[in-house]
Amino acid sequence: MSDGTPADLFLDAAIGLLRRVRAEESGAIAAAGTLLADTVESGGRLFAFGAGHSSLAAQDVVYRAGGLALMNLLAVPGVVGVDVTPAVLGSALERVDGLASAVLDSSPLRDGDALVIISLSGRNALPVEMALHARALGIKVIGVTSVTYATETASRHSSGTFLKDHCDVVLDSKIAVGDAELTLDTVQAPFAPASTVVTSALMQSVLATAAATLADRGVEPPLLRSGNVDGGHEWNARIMEKYGDRIFYHH
């Protein structure tokens, strides 16, 4: 590791990844934002899913001030976060065949909706099966993943494929295998993961594109305002009433 404090080096690494994403993923971001805008305009619903720490970026765009009110969280019990005990159970559930299909079949998702699936490695059974089954149901799939995992690791799905292989749009986070940006001679393992920073930025970029695209088409983007600004609650109540049949976290 070169000169500089660990904090400086991590921030430099995160900034470098964000610059790569901006330079290399602009087309995919535009395509994903357009897909979400198309879904909203055609009466579809929006959902986001992530397992483990990948769930953080999914949760970040649900019921969020400045975000699209129509984005719903697709929750799989036991894998949404580290609140499950023991925490390793969540990792184990990601490898269970059949779980994703059972979740989708009992969810509100239907033909014409859009689902964002976030999985850093994209190699486990859960995200691969979820993408496969969703598309079979007529659901558009946006995958947010690190494509390099497909060349440096083996799939854990029976098909031998990865999340990236079953998406309408793929967003590559550029995160290296292992998700750790720093090394030190005095530390035995690499450390300082950047996937949450980059993946959240990708998600917000896509939603910003969707909102602007809707506005360009003369459609009011169904955005939420902060409840901590004057008039925010009244604004949100109007949005909730108008789009209540497409918002599932409010019922």
Side-chain angles (χ1 to χ4, degrees), residues 103-123:
V103 168
L104 281 173
D105 288 343
S106 61
S107 78
L109 276 148
R110 66 189 184 192
D111 185 4
D113 291 346
L115 172 62
V116 182
I117 301 175
I118 304 169
S119 173
L120 176 60
S121 72
R123 68 187 296 220

Side-chain angles (χ1 to χ4, degrees), residues 30-210:
T34 300
L35 190 157
L36 294 187
D38 290 345
T39 304
V40 171
E41 192 172 13
S42 64
R45 295 86 58 81
L46 311 179
F47 293 82
F49 165 78
H53 288 95
S54 290
S55 178
L56 295 173
Q59 294 179 57
D60 188 49
V61 295
V62 176
Y63 188 49
R64 184 64 190 263
L68 291 174
L70 273 58
M71 183 62 74
N72 301 278
L73 183 68
L74 178 62
V76 178
V79 305
V80 174
V82 294
D83 56 335
V84 62
T85 303
V88 292
L89 174 61
S91 298
L93 289 173
E94 289 185 62
R95 305 178 190 182
V96 174
D97 291 331
L99 179 57
S101 294
V103 168
L104 281 173
D105 288 343
S106 61
S107 78
L109 276 148
R110 66 189 184 192
D111 185 4
D113 291 346
L115 172 62
V116 182
I117 301 175
I118 304 169
S119 173
L120 176 60
S121 72
R123 68 187 296 220
N124 288 310
L126 184 58
V128 176
E129 181 186 329
M130 185 170 287
L132 270 166
H133 193 54
R135 294 182 87 190
L137 295 173
I139 298 161
K140 297 293 187 181
V141 175
I142 297 169
V144 186
T145 187
S146 173
V147 172
T148 191
Y149 273 83
T151 60
E152 298 185 22
T153 69
S155 170
R156 289 177 175 147
H157 187 257
S158 57
S159 66
T161 60
F162 288 75
L163 169 62
K164 73 173 185 65
D165 300 316
H166 308 288
C167 299
D168 296 279
V169 181
V170 176
L171 298 169
D172 184 4
S173 64
K174 317 295 180 182
I175 300 295
V177 173
D179 193 17
E181 294 300 320
L182 304 185
T183 58
L184 277 176
D185 293 340
T186 54
V187 180
Q188 291 186 337
F191 59 104
S195 61
T196 304
V197 174
V198 177
T199 305
S200 291
L202 271 169
M203 291 293 291
Q204 295 295 350
S205 298
V206 169
L207 265 65
T209 301

Side-chain angles (χ1 to χ4, degrees), residues 11 75 123 216 221:
L11 291 171
R123 68 187 296 220
D216 287 343

